[in-house]
PDB file of all heavy atoms in Angstrom:
ATOM      1  N   GLN A 844      66.567  43.106   9.538  1.00 97.00           N
ATOM      2  CA  GLN A 844      65.645  42.728  10.603  1.00 97.00           C
ATOM      3  C   GLN A 844      65.624  41.215  10.805  1.00 97.00           C
ATOM      4  O   GLN A 844      65.681  40.734  11.930  1.00 97.00           O
ATOM      5  CB  GLN A 844      64.257  43.224  10.176  1.00 97.00           C
ATOM      6  CG  GLN A 844      63.210  43.202  11.237  1.00 97.00           C
ATOM      7  CD  GLN A 844      61.920  43.839  10.684  1.00 97.00           C
ATOM      8  OE1 GLN A 844      61.945  44.904  10.069  1.00 97.00           O
ATOM      9  NE2 GLN A 844      60.804  43.162  10.878  1.00 97.00           N
ATOM     10  N   CYS A 878      63.217  39.044  -6.062  1.00 98.00           N
ATOM     11  CA  CYS A 878      64.593  39.006  -5.557  1.00 98.00           C
ATOM     12  C   CYS A 878      64.598  39.116  -4.037  1.00 98.00           C
ATOM     13  O   CYS A 878      65.415  38.484  -3.362  1.00 98.00           O
ATOM     14  CB  CYS A 878      65.429  40.122  -6.171  1.00 98.00           C
ATOM     15  SG  CYS A 878      65.772  39.847  -7.918  1.00 98.00           S
ATOM     16  N   TYR A 907      48.989  33.384 -18.251  1.00 97.00           N
ATOM     17  CA  TYR A 907      49.734  34.231 -17.314  1.00 97.00           C
ATOM     18  C   TYR A 907      50.448  33.380 -16.261  1.00 97.00           C
ATOM     19  O   TYR A 907      51.579  33.665 -15.873  1.00 97.00           O
ATOM     20  CB  TYR A 907      48.795  35.221 -16.622  1.00 97.00           C
ATOM     21  CG  TYR A 907      48.175  36.244 -17.564  1.00 97.00           C
ATOM     22  CD1 TYR A 907      46.839  36.634 -17.416  1.00 97.00           C
ATOM     23  CD2 TYR A 907      48.915  36.823 -18.585  1.00 97.00           C
ATOM     24  CE1 TYR A 907      46.267  37.572 -18.265  1.00 97.00           C
ATOM     25  CE2 TYR A 907      48.339  37.755 -19.438  1.00 97.00           C
ATOM     26  CZ  TYR A 907      47.021  38.131 -19.272  1.00 97.00           C
ATOM     27  OH  TYR A 907      46.455  39.064 -20.112  1.00 97.00           O
ATOM     28  N   ALA A 940      34.999  30.937   7.046  1.00 98.00           N
ATOM     29  CA  ALA A 940      33.907  31.920   6.948  1.00 98.00           C
ATOM     30  C   ALA A 940      32.740  31.459   7.822  1.00 98.00           C
ATOM     31  O   ALA A 940      32.142  32.251   8.565  1.00 98.00           O
ATOM     32  CB  ALA A 940      33.475  32.081   5.494  1.00 98.00           C
ATOM     33  N   SER A1010      35.415  52.356  12.866  1.00 97.00           N
ATOM     34  CA  SER A1010      36.879  52.326  12.954  1.00 97.00           C
ATOM     35  C   SER A1010      37.503  53.438  12.103  1.00 97.00           C
ATOM     36  O   SER A1010      37.056  53.695  10.984  1.00 97.00           O
ATOM     37  CB  SER A1010      37.402  50.981  12.461  1.00 97.00           C
ATOM     38  OG  SER A1010      38.812  51.038  12.360  1.00 97.00           O
ATOM     39  N   PHE A1073      42.099  38.706  11.201  1.00 98.00           N
ATOM     40  CA  PHE A1073      41.745  37.355  10.755  1.00 98.00           C
ATOM     41  C   PHE A1073      42.581  36.312  11.489  1.00 98.00           C
ATOM     42  O   PHE A1073      42.077  35.282  11.910  1.00 98.00           O
ATOM     43  CB  PHE A1073      41.933  37.211   9.238  1.00 98.00           C
ATOM     44  CG  PHE A1073      40.907  37.952   8.419  1.00 98.00           C
ATOM     45  CD1 PHE A1073      41.304  38.844   7.424  1.00 98.00           C
ATOM     46  CD2 PHE A1073      39.559  37.768   8.641  1.00 98.00           C
ATOM     47  CE1 PHE A1073      40.366  39.534   6.664  1.00 98.00           C
ATOM     48  CE2 PHE A1073      38.602  38.454   7.879  1.00 98.00           C
ATOM     49  CZ  PHE A1073      39.008  39.336   6.897  1.00 98.00           C
ATOM     50  N   ASN A1092      59.415  52.236  -8.539  1.00 95.00           N
ATOM     51  CA  ASN A1092      58.943  53.012  -9.676  1.00 95.00           C
ATOM     52  C   ASN A1092      60.169  53.421 -10.481  1.00 95.00           C
ATOM     53  O   ASN A1092      61.153  53.885  -9.919  1.00 95.00           O
ATOM     54  CB  ASN A1092      58.207  54.268  -9.208  1.00 95.00           C
ATOM     55  CG  ASN A1092      56.990  53.912  -8.396  1.00 95.00           C
ATOM     56  OD1 ASN A1092      56.126  53.168  -8.847  1.00 95.00           O
ATOM     57  ND2 ASN A1092      56.935  54.414  -7.175  1.00 95.00           N
ATOM     58  N   ASP A1272     101.383  50.092 -45.450  1.00 92.00           N
ATOM     59  CA  ASP A1272     102.455  50.094 -44.468  1.00 92.00           C
ATOM     60  C   ASP A1272     101.929  50.279 -43.038  1.00 92.00           C
ATOM     61  O   ASP A1272     102.697  50.542 -42.130  1.00 92.00           O
ATOM     62  CB  ASP A1272     103.418  51.237 -44.818  1.00 92.00           C
ATOM     63  CG  ASP A1272     104.812  50.912 -44.347  1.00 92.00           C
ATOM     64  OD1 ASP A1272     105.110  49.706 -44.172  1.00 92.00           O
ATOM     65  OD2 ASP A1272     105.574  51.873 -44.123  1.00 92.00           O
ATOM     66  N   ARG A1361      65.011  36.159 -29.598  1.00 96.00           N
ATOM     67  CA  ARG A1361      64.775  34.743 -29.267  1.00 96.00           C
ATOM     68  C   ARG A1361      63.700  34.106 -30.129  1.00 96.00           C
ATOM     69  O   ARG A1361      63.649  32.886 -30.242  1.00 96.00           O
ATOM     70  CB  ARG A1361      64.477  34.549 -27.789  1.00 96.00           C
ATOM     71  CG  ARG A1361      63.301  35.310 -27.242  1.00 96.00           C
ATOM     72  CD  ARG A1361      63.272  35.223 -25.726  1.00 96.00           C
ATOM     73  NE  ARG A1361      62.929  33.888 -25.277  1.00 96.00           N
ATOM     74  CZ  ARG A1361      61.914  33.617 -24.453  1.00 96.00           C
ATOM     75  NH1 ARG A1361      61.157  34.596 -23.992  1.00 96.00           N
ATOM     76  NH2 ARG A1361      61.657  32.386 -24.081  1.00 96.00           N
ATOM     77  N   VAL A1375      71.275  47.832 -24.987  1.00 97.00           N
ATOM     78  CA  VAL A1375      71.661  49.097 -24.364  1.00 97.00           C
ATOM     79  C   VAL A1375      72.820  49.692 -25.156  1.00 97.00           C
ATOM     80  O   VAL A1375      73.567  48.966 -25.802  1.00 97.00           O
ATOM     81  CB  VAL A1375      72.023  48.825 -22.869  1.00 97.00           C
ATOM     82  CG1 VAL A1375      73.321  48.056 -22.740  1.00 97.00           C
ATOM     83  CG2 VAL A1375      72.044  50.090 -22.041  1.00 97.00           C
ATOM     84  N   ALA A1388      79.512  62.510  -8.578  1.00 79.00           N
ATOM     85  CA  ALA A1388      79.075  62.649  -7.191  1.00 79.00           C
ATOM     86  C   ALA A1388      80.239  62.332  -6.250  1.00 79.00           C
ATOM     87  O   ALA A1388      80.464  63.030  -5.250  1.00 79.00           O
ATOM     88  CB  ALA A1388      77.894  61.731  -6.920  1.00 79.00           C
ATOM     89  N   ALA A1394      85.927  66.509  -3.153  1.00 80.00           N
ATOM     90  CA  ALA A1394      86.272  67.929  -3.148  1.00 80.00           C
ATOM     91  C   ALA A1394      85.773  68.587  -1.865  1.00 80.00           C
ATOM     92  O   ALA A1394      86.467  69.398  -1.242  1.00 80.00           O
ATOM     93  CB  ALA A1394      85.666  68.610  -4.374  1.00 80.00           C
TER      94      ALA A1394
END
Side-chain angles (χ1 to χ4, degrees):
Q844 192 175 313
C878 289
Y907 295 141
S1010 171
F1073 288 127
N1092 298 305
D1272 208 23
R1361 58 190 290 235
V1375 71

